[in-house]
Amino acid sequence: MLPPLAILGITDWGAFLTDLLAFFSIYLAISISLNLEMGYAGIPNFGKVLYFAGGAAFSGSVAIRVAAVLLKVSGNPVGTDNFIIANNMTTMLQHNIPVSVALIAVTLLVGGLVGAFLGYISIFPAIRLREDYLAMLLLGASAFFQIFLNNYTPVINGTFGIGIPDLFAWAGSYSTLAATLLITAFALIVYVYAERLVRSPLGRTLRAMRDNEAASEALGKDTVAIRRNVLIIAAVITGIAGALFTIYSGDTNPGIYDRVTWTFWPWLIVIMGGVANNFGVALGSFVFVFLTKFIDVEKFSLQSVIPFDVNWLEYLAFGSALILILLLRPQGLLGEKSSATLNESKVSGIVERATKEPERAKQETEAET
Amino acid sequence: MSLGLTLTYLTTRVPNFAQGVFVTVGAYTCFSLLRIDRVGPYMSLPLSFILGGVVALAMYLVVLRPLSRRGASVISLMIATLAVDIVFIGIFGIYTDYLSSAFRIPDAKLFFALSSADFTFLGVDGVVYVAPIAVAAITLGLYLVLTRTTFGIAMRATVENPNLARTVGVNTETVYLISWFVAGGLAAVAGNFYVLWQPGEPDLGSQLLIAMFAGSILGGLKNIYGAVVGGLLVGAGEILITTFGASYLGSWVIAYESGIPLLIMVVTLLVFPGGITSVNWRGFFSRRGG
C-alpha cells in the first residue's frame, strides 16, 4: 500500500470527488428547476429554499416513521432517542435490501408530494402578484417555514433535527457512493427532461409568454395554466432534491435550510451560467460547487494567516462575484441561444426560393410576350 | 425602518433586500461605541445616521445606478440587492470576529439588549420615550421638507414623473442620492434604537427584513406617510396578536411571533394590494353610513 498522497492538501480524493459529484448534482437539479421558472417562464422565485426544506424535512420525518413500522422499532422515532433509533435501524437495514429500497422510494415520493403541495400553494400569489411583491412574499414564506420547523417538534424535533437511518447501508463501504449515484441519476433525468421541455412546443410557448405575455394570450395560450404547471414541476424537482439531500446527509435539521445556501446560490448559478440556457446552468453549477468545495479544503491553510473566520470571505467573494457578473456580463458565461425551429440549410433554401421566385415569374412573363 | 424602505422604493422602484444591512450598521455602531469608547447609546445616533447613509449611498452609486443605467430588469436589481446583503453577511462576520479578538468582547456575535446603558424614567427604560418621539419628529420633519421646501417639491416631482421633473430643471440625480442617504440613515437610527431593548446579532437586519416589508406594503409602497402607519401597525400587531393568541390558544403562539408580519403582508396583498393609504377611507365610511 502506498501512503495517501496529499495533492493540493487533499488526502482522500475518492471522498472529495464523491462529495463534489453529490453537491454538483443537487445544485444542478435545483438550478435547472429555477431556470425553468425564471429563465423560461419568467417567474422570479425567491423561495427555492421553501420547497427544498419542505421536501427534505418531511421526507426524512416520514421515512423514519415508516422505517419504525416496517422494522417494528418501538419508541418515538423523532424524539430525544432519535439518533440511537436511527443507528439501530441502520444496523438492521444492512441485510434488508427490499425494505431499504422501499424506504428510498417512500422518501422520494414524499419529497415530490410535499414539493407539489408547496408549489400548488405558491400558485396563488405567483399568478396574481407583480414580480417584486412576489419576491418579498416568497422570501418571507421561506423564512416563516424555517421558524415553523424550528418550533413544531413533531416534524423533525425542532431545532435539534433528526437523524435518519442509512438507506444504503447494504452497500457497505460504498453507501455514500451509491447515494451519490442516485442523486446524479436524478439530476441527469432532470437535465434531459428540461432540455426536451424547452425544445418542445411548450418551451417556445414559455419563451413567448416571458417575452410578451399579451401577445401570447392573444394567440390563445392559457398563460395562467402554463405558469401553474411550470411552478409545480419546478417545485416537485426541488422537493425531490431535498429528499435526496436528506438521504445523502443522513440527517435533517432546520438550521441547514437558510436562504443563502438554497435560494441565493442557485440564483447565482443560473445567472453565472446563463439565464435560459441549461448547459450554461450545468457549467455554472460545476464552477460554483467546485470552487466552494475547493475553498472548503484549502481554507485551513489560510486560516492561520488571517485573524477572522475564513467562511466570511466566501460570502464576500460570491456576493461580489454576482454583482460583477450583473454589471459586466449580464447574460452569464453562456447566454441564451436563439432557438432555430428549422435547421440552417432549410432556412437558407427558403430564402433562396423566395428571392428567385419573382425573378422566375419575371422571366416567364418576358418569355410569353 | 419601513420609512427608509419606502423611500428607496419610491426613488428606484425596486424592493431593497439589503435594507436590513443599514439596520445592522446602526445596531453595531451603537454597540461598538458603547463597548469600546463608552459612548452612550444616544450619542451614537448621529454617527449611526451618517454611517448608514454612507453605506446606502455607496450601494446606490456602485451597484444600483450602473445597473439601472444599463436598463437592467427589476429582477436583476432585486438580485443585486440580495447580493449586497450577502456581501455584508461577510463584512459583519469579519467585523464581529475582529471585535471579539482585538477588543476581547466576548458577546460581539450575540449581545443582550443594551438597556443597562439606557437611562430610566419613572421605572421605564428611556428608549420607550425617546423612540416614539424620534419617529414623530422624523415624520413631522419629512412632512415639512416635502411640502414646504423647494427640495421637497422637487423630490415629489421626481417621484411622480422623473422625465418631466428633469425637463423643468430638477436635478433628479441629487434627489436620488439624498433619498438613499436619508433612507440608509433612518434605517441605521432604527437599528440603534432597536438594540436598546432587544438582543442584537450580525444577521439582525435580515431577520427584521420581513417586518420591514410588511410595514411598507401595509402602508402602501407608494406613500411615505403610509410607511409610518404601516410600521406602527405591524409592530403593534405583532405584539398584540402574540399576546392575545398566547392567552387564548396557549403559549406555543409566541414561537411564531415573527410569522405575524408575514401574515399581515399576505392579507394586505390579497385585500388591498396598494396598501391602506390607497384605500379611499372616506368613501368607505360614507358608503357604510349611507
Side-chain angles (χ1 to χ4, degrees), chain B residues 3 58 167 209 250:
Chain B
L3 202 65
T167 320
L209 192 68

Side-chain angles (χ1 to χ4, degrees), chain A residues 56 83 160-164 245-253 256-257:
Chain A
F83 280 90
F160 300 108
I162 54 168
I164 65 158
F245 187 69
T246 300
I247 295 179
Y248 177 76
S249 59
D251 68 348
T252 159
N253 176 338
I256 310 171
Y257 314 122

Side-chain angles (χ1 to χ4, degrees), chain A residues 279-302:
Chain A
F279 183 70
V281 170
L283 189 69
S285 311
F286 181 75
V287 171
F288 171 77
V289 174
F290 183 76
L291 282 179
T292 42
K293 289 291 156 195
F294 196 65
I295 293 171
D296 259 357
V297 178
E298 302 298 323
K299 67 185 171 196
F300 296 107
S301 51
L302 201 64

Side-chain angles (χ1 to χ4, degrees), chain A residues 89-165:
Chain A
M89 284 176 179
T90 304
T91 327
M92 289 160 136
L93 285 173
Q94 256 165 10
H95 304 292
N96 202 338
I97 296 179
V99 173
S100 299
V101 173
L103 283 175
I104 292 168
V106 166
T107 314
L108 297 186
L109 191 70
V110 171
L113 284 177
V114 172
F117 173 71
L118 292 172
Y120 186 75
I121 296 180
S122 37
I123 293 170
F124 298 99
I127 286 167
R128 285 176 183 78
L129 298 179
R130 246 193 22 225
E131 48 208 7
D132 38 1
Y133 286 91
L134 177 66
M136 290 184 243
L137 191 71
L138 285 175
L139 266 182
S142 22
F144 180 71
F145 190 70
Q146 203 178 3
I147 297 170
F148 167 76
L149 287 181
N150 264 328
N151 291 298
Y152 189 68
T153 44
V155 186
I156 51 170
N157 200 17
T159 42
F160 300 108
I162 54 168
I164 65 158

Side-chain angles (χ1 to χ4, degrees), chain B residues 149-162:
Chain B
T149 61
T150 325
F151 174 75
I153 294 166
M155 191 171 160
R156 284 191 300 165
T158 311
V159 168
E160 282 296 319
N161 189 335

Side-chain angles (χ1 to χ4, degrees), chain A residues 46 130 132-133 135-137 139-140 144 147 151-152 259-260 264 267 308-309 312 316 319-320 322-323 326-327 330, chain B residues 9 15 17 67 70 79 82-83 85-87 90-91 93-94 97 206 210 213 255-256 258-259 262 265-266 269:
Chain A
F46 281 92
R130 246 193 22 225
D132 38 1
Y133 286 91
M136 290 184 243
L137 191 71
L139 266 182
F144 180 71
I147 297 170
N151 291 298
Y152 189 68
R259 81 183 140 93
V260 175
F264 185 76
W267 270 88
F308 48 82
D309 196 338
W312 303 122
L316 215 61
S320 340
L322 184 57
I323 295 173
L326 284 171
L327 282 173
Chain B
Y9 184 82
F17 291 119
L67 268 180
R70 304 175 52 119
I79 277 291
L82 263 180
D85 194 30
I86 306 289
V87 169
I91 294 181
I94 291 171
D97 275 356
S206 317
I210 307 301
F213 273 116
Y256 297 100
S258 42
L262 180 74
M265 190 154 96
V266 173
L269 285 174

